[in-house]
Amino acid sequence: MKTKFFILIIFVFLMSNLSAQKKHTKYGKVDKSNLEMKIYDLDTSANAVILFKYGETTFNFDMMRLEHNYHVRIKILNSNGFDWANKEIYYLNYNEKIINLEAQSCNLVSGKVVKTKVENNDIFDNTISSSISVKKITFSNVKVGTILEYKYTLFSNNIYNLKDWEFQDIIPTVYNEYNITIPDNLTYLKRIKGYLPSPEMKNFLTNSDGTTYLYTMENIPAFVKEPFISSKYNYISSLVFELQIVRDRYHRIMREFTTSWDEISEELLEADNFGNQLKCPKALKKELKVITADTMTKYDKMIAIHGFIANEMKWNGANRLFTSSTIKESYKKKTGSSADINLLLIAALNEAKITTVPVVLSTRSNGFINPALPSITDFNYVIALVSIDGKRFYLDATEKYSPAGMLPKRCLNGIGRVIYKVTEEVNINTDQKSKEAYYLDLTIIDGEFAGICTEILKSYAALDFRNDYKNSTNEETFLANIEEINEGLIISEYSIENLDVIYKPLKVSYKMNITNNSNTLGDKIYFNPMFYFGINSNPFKNEERKYPVDFAYSFQKKYILTFTIPEGYTVESLPESVNIFLPDKVATFKYIIVNEGNIIQLSSNISINKNIFTHLEYPYLKELYSQIVAKHNEMIVLKKK
């Protein structure tokens, strides 16, 4: 009897503990004190706060699907939080379905809770692409103090692919809870990402359904998206699942996943929508004979084939690891995903006897891969790796104006894996430096400026310009946009050299007139010589930073400005010249200004010589930019003789 009583006490204690942790409440049961809340004490600057976010995942093997239940409640603290009244829920339209969606806004009116239900005509289902759709919820009767609440169930037919669970958001969260019951025949690796302390985790055996894991976090600060980070998903606090083992009803291993990089490589090479696509289509073989010749070097053949594929194929904007159909079909249609185009490129290069293998990677927006945990699901992109006389070139044919050997910025995300008989890890970061040089020769007339400007752009700066120019309706529209952004600028006699010659620097020349960029006070003229070219504000505003600063690539911005002083004026004051550099000259800033006779010449040179700076280097980088901003805002003063 005593034993039974003792067991009962333990059971009651455990249940009371679980109940105490369960800080979400039944849908519609809104606490009046939350409606009365004016600010969130732990973050008084917050525009809104997530009161709780609750998730529950179960496996339904009878229906062969995953069932995810979500329930979220958000408090609007000021008018800047009204954006949260428009909720978007993305899902895969080919194997996921959202049901039982309910939403409402709650307000306190004369001491009573008034609820406004979101009607069906305020819920929209839009197709984003062939695979992605979005449910859009528009809450009504939203004001400062409103609580927004919604819940829904998402069915997924991909029973072995568990979604990540995010504990952190861009606004603070009071309480976050995630429950998942994992059947005993499935083994998952569970890992926590992010910079916050790990969530509290409890697991307890329930019944024959498997093991239930309960994760909770409280008082979670907002994730502050700072400039120059690759993806918030690399740093936001979240829970990630990797399927490792599937067992049968007798607990025998049926399949093991993510066991080694070599096995992943072998699996990809044997896949119908990857390795089995690396055979050059007959139609392309004929074209290769036309664009290459036996007398050409392998390097020249590589350039020719890369250019041909990049110009023939139109990228549809989809980042993919696997082909959408066959590369033969994609070549026929002249369009496709990144996988369709780049696997076609690999097949063409190998057909021309140029040793080329696939390299898989994760794009910047997709997040980092973990080299210590082999997983095929981390990758979402494939490029080509060419080897010629011991030298390696990374190629991507989705960007028409990106030369061979210069990957699009989205690919510059750390490391990738060579997919071949023997796989290896490779560094995808580029050593190419983006360069911008601006040469201005201006004459000052009645407080206005007239003259010529020449721009020399190389590498990523040239790529960005070419894409912006080609994406404009016409040159007139392109120039009108520049003039609109830079008030007082008038451009004429515009010319571009090497627009389509991507292996040469791009040169832009034009005449310019600048008005409304000086002040005449009495017998003096004041003007900022950097005009629109200067850095006017520091992108690094926080005192400290937890995440690396990731520029993606190194860069240089050089400005040479020559001013002819109007007759009858002399220089009263000039900014002082400075030469600032960080340790090992990983970043430098030179600002040199001289005056000889009626000529003022200014040289400003910013050089960032590596792509990633650690959080320990952040204070020095922040101070460097503060010095740049201060100098770029200084004035030249002219005075009548």
Side-chain angles (χ1 to χ4, degrees), residues 18 21 54-59 162 165 167 177-184 186-190 200-206 209-216 239 241:
L18 291 173
Q21 292 184 25
Y54 172 79
E56 180 181 33
T57 297
T58 56
F59 291 74
L162 281 175
W165 178 261
F167 292 97
E177 178 179 321
Y178 181 61
N179 282 275
I180 180 169
T181 300
I182 299 178
D184 291 337
L186 301 179
T187 300
Y188 284 89
L189 174 68
K190 299 171 284 294
E200 183 179 356
M201 190 273 283
K202 292 191 175 184
N203 65 295
F204 48 93
L205 190 64
T206 52
D209 290 338
T211 303
T212 297
Y213 297 85
L214 170 65
Y215 296 87
T216 62
L239 174 64
F241 297 89

Side-chain angles (χ1 to χ4, degrees), residues 435-452:
K435 293 185 177 181
E436 303 171 55
Y438 301 86
Y439 303 89
L440 283 77
D441 192 345
L442 300 173
T443 299
I444 306 172
I445 305 171
D446 297 329
E448 297 184 354
F449 306 84
I452 59 173

Side-chain angles (χ1 to χ4, degrees), residues 235-417:
Y235 310 107
I236 203 165
S237 184
S238 59
L239 174 64
V240 180
F241 297 89
E242 292 287 348
L243 181 60
Q244 291 185 306
I245 300 173
V246 177
R247 293 180 172 85
D248 63 16
R249 59 186 297 184
Y250 302 106
H251 219 62
R252 295 175 302 198
I253 293 178
M254 294 173 57
R255 186 175 179 185
E256 291 186 78
F257 296 83
T258 64
T259 53
S260 73
W261 288 118
D262 286 337
E263 289 182 359
I264 287 175
S265 182
E266 182 180 353
E267 182 180 340
L268 285 171
L269 289 173
E270 294 176 355
D272 289 338
N273 51 3
F274 193 92
N276 287 339
Q277 293 299 316
L278 296 175
K279 296 175 183 177
C280 191
K282 288 183 180 179
L284 180 54
K285 288 180 182 180
K286 294 179 181 178
E287 296 290 350
L288 292 178
K289 292 178 181 179
V290 176
I291 64 174
T292 62
D294 293 338
T295 56
M296 294 173 66
T297 66
K298 285 188 175 182
Y299 178 81
D300 289 338
K301 286 182 180 181
M302 177 188 74
I303 299 298
I305 294 170
H306 174 267
F308 177 79
I309 298 295
N311 282 280
E312 281 288 294
M313 301 296 294
K314 183 177 181 181
W315 180 44
N316 62 15
N319 298 328
R320 294 288 183 268
L321 177 63
F322 299 105
T323 59
S324 54
S325 57
T326 65
I327 62 171
K328 177 182 177 181
E329 186 66 23
S330 296
Y331 182 63
K332 183 179 178 181
K333 294 179 178 178
K334 306 299 184 187
T335 185
S337 69
S338 58
D340 297 324
I341 294 172
N342 286 331
L343 290 179
L344 180 68
L345 172 66
I346 294 168
L349 289 164
N350 280 316
E351 179 66 23
K353 305 296 189 247
I354 300 171
T355 303
T356 310
V357 295
V359 170
V360 295
L361 56 87
S362 172
T363 56
R364 292 173 69 83
S365 62
N366 194 54
F368 296 140
I369 65 170
N370 189 333
L373 296 173
S375 170
I376 200 170
T377 59
D378 284 348
F379 301 103
N380 71 326
Y381 207 89
V382 57
I383 59 173
L385 171 58
V386 176
S387 298
I388 300 176
D389 299 329
K391 190 172 181 180
R392 288 182 160 186
F393 303 89
Y394 294 104
L395 274 63
D396 182 300
T398 61
E399 293 279 359
K400 181 178 179 180
Y401 298 107
S402 183
M406 192 178 92
L407 294 175
K409 181 180 177 181
R410 61 180 172 274
C411 296
L412 304 178
N413 195 34
I415 60 176
R417 297 293 310 190

Side-chain angles (χ1 to χ4, degrees), residues 422-636:
V422 178
T423 183
E424 64 173 297
E425 180 183 300
V426 290
N427 188 340
I428 303 297
N429 292 325
T430 183
D431 58 358
Q432 294 214 24
K433 192 169 193 174
S434 178
K435 293 185 177 181
E436 303 171 55
Y438 301 86
Y439 303 89
L440 283 77
D441 192 345
L442 300 173
T443 299
I444 306 172
I445 305 171
D446 297 329
E448 297 184 354
F449 306 84
I452 59 173
C453 177
T454 300
E455 303 177 12
I456 307 294
L457 307 177
K458 299 178 181 179
S459 186
Y460 288 97
L463 172 63
D464 290 343
F465 180 95
R466 288 182 170 111
N467 281 330
D468 289 344
Y469 186 86
K470 290 292 185 177
N471 289 334
S472 295
T473 307
N474 50 45
E475 185 176 280
E476 184 179 346
T477 303
F478 178 76
L479 296 179
N481 288 336
I482 296 175
E483 291 176 342
E484 183 178 352
I485 294 170
N486 302 299
E487 185 180 352
L489 174 64
I490 300 172
I491 296 174
S492 60
E493 298 184 27
Y494 195 81
S495 66
I496 305 174
E497 293 181 28
N498 301 326
L499 181 63
D500 296 310
V501 186
I502 62 175
Y503 290 91
K504 289 187 177 181
L506 189 144
K507 183 179 179 181
V508 181
S509 303
Y510 51 92
K511 287 187 176 180
M512 64 190 306
N513 289 81
I514 301 174
T515 62
N516 302 323
N517 273 269
S518 69
N519 288 315
T520 301
L521 299 175
D523 61 350
K524 295 180 181 181
I525 299 174
Y526 300 80
F527 69 94
N528 180 347
M530 291 302 298
F531 299 118
Y532 323 105
F533 302 100
I535 298 177
N536 295 318
S537 63
N538 193 337
F540 307 112
K541 303 188 184 303
N542 294 334
E543 288 302 315
E544 59 181 25
R545 178 168 172 144
K546 295 180 180 179
Y547 327 116
V549 176
D550 187 345
F551 290 110
Y553 45 77
S554 60
F555 61 88
Q556 180 186 50
K557 295 185 178 184
K558 182 168 66 174
Y559 309 92
I560 306 292
L561 300 100
T562 302
F563 298 93
T564 301
I565 301 171
E567 190 174 343
Y569 278 83
T570 187
V571 174
E572 179 174 272
S573 65
L574 296 174
E576 290 185 5
S577 297
V578 296
N579 183 9
I580 306 169
F581 51 88
L582 299 190
D584 299 324
K585 295 189 176 180
V586 293
T588 63
F589 171 53
K590 287 184 180 180
Y591 183 97
I592 299 172
I593 188 165
V594 294
N595 168 221
E596 291 186 9
N598 68 333
I599 300 297
I600 300 172
Q601 189 167 68
L602 165 63
S603 171
S604 173
N605 194 338
I606 302 167
S607 187
I608 303 298
N609 299 320
K610 66 175 186 174
N611 58 344
I612 296 178
F613 290 76
T614 69
H615 71 285
L616 297 176
E617 296 173 297
Y618 172 75
Y620 306 104
L621 191 65
K622 179 177 184 289
E623 178 57 26
L624 175 70
Y625 267 81
S626 293
Q627 297 280 354
I628 294 172
V629 169
K631 193 56 63 177
H632 279 187
N633 280 289
E634 290 186 9
M635 296 282 186
I636 290 176

Side-chain angles (χ1 to χ4, degrees), residues 122-136:
D122 289 322
I123 300 174
F124 307 93
D125 208 338
N126 294 339
T127 299
I128 304 299
S129 68
S130 59
S131 60
I132 299 174
S133 291
V134 59
K135 290 273 189 186
K136 293 186 176 182

